[in-house]
Amino acid sequence: QLVESGGGLMQAGGSLRLSCAASGSIFRIITMGWYRQTPGRQRELVATITDGGITNYTDSLKGRFTISRDNAENTMYLQMNSLKPEDTAVYYCNTDLVTIWGTRRHDYWGRGTQVTVSS
């Protein structure tokens, strides 16, 4: 199970910190990632982070967003600074993990958390 939190309404220029907590029959979470989606558009990558700390960002978000994770707590964060109205979206958490039964799964998604940035 993936549960996102931390979304809300923020004025442009402000900051928000999103969290994603993973729970269940998890042996190892290889990669955790944030994606976002606006109505009528495809879900797009925001950033990913491996359990070794290797990060990957969508180029347009580099410098404003920072992804991090706590491996011991199976939790991931997204620090979003200098928010812009175009950052308004539902933000989703995704994982690439191995279950305790040895199955690799990359199709777990959270329900999302809404981020709204006003101008």
Side-chain angles (χ1 to χ4, degrees):
Q1 181 182 11
L2 299 176
V3 179
E4 301 97 337
S5 61
L9 175 63
M10 179 59 64
Q11 287 189 333
S15 297
L16 282 174
R17 188 189 194 210
L18 306 183
S19 298
C20 169
S23 62
S25 304
I26 300 169
F27 172 72
R28 175 192 174 197
I29 302 179
I30 302 167
T31 303
M32 301 185 80
W34 288 101
Y35 294 76
R36 66 185 186 183
Q37 187 170 23
T38 55
R41 300 189 66 177
Q42 286 190 331
R43 196 168 295 184
E44 63 175 3
L45 171 70
V46 174
T48 61
I49 184 167
T50 69
D51 54 359
I54 297 172
T55 58
N56 177 55
Y57 294 89
T58 291
D59 285 344
S60 61
L61 300 177
K62 288 180 181 177
R64 293 196 300 121
F65 289 13
T66 302
I67 190 171
S68 61
R69 64 187 278 182
D70 182 334
N71 291 331
E73 299 293 330
N74 285 338
T75 302
M76 173 179 64
Y77 306 96
L78 184 68
Q79 179 67 42
M80 305 186 296
N81 298 328
S82 302
L83 283 164
K84 303 176 181 180
E86 51 263 44
D87 295 320
T88 296
V90 178
Y91 285 72
Y92 296 92
C93 173
N94 174 258
T95 60
D96 178 8
L97 60 80
V98 180
T99 69
I100 59 173
W101 301 286
T103 304
R104 185 161 180 176
R105 299 287 299 271
H106 54 83
D107 55 348
Y108 288 135
W109 291 89
R111 292 186 175 184
T113 185
Q114 175 71 47
V115 171
T116 303
V117 183
S118 62
S119 58

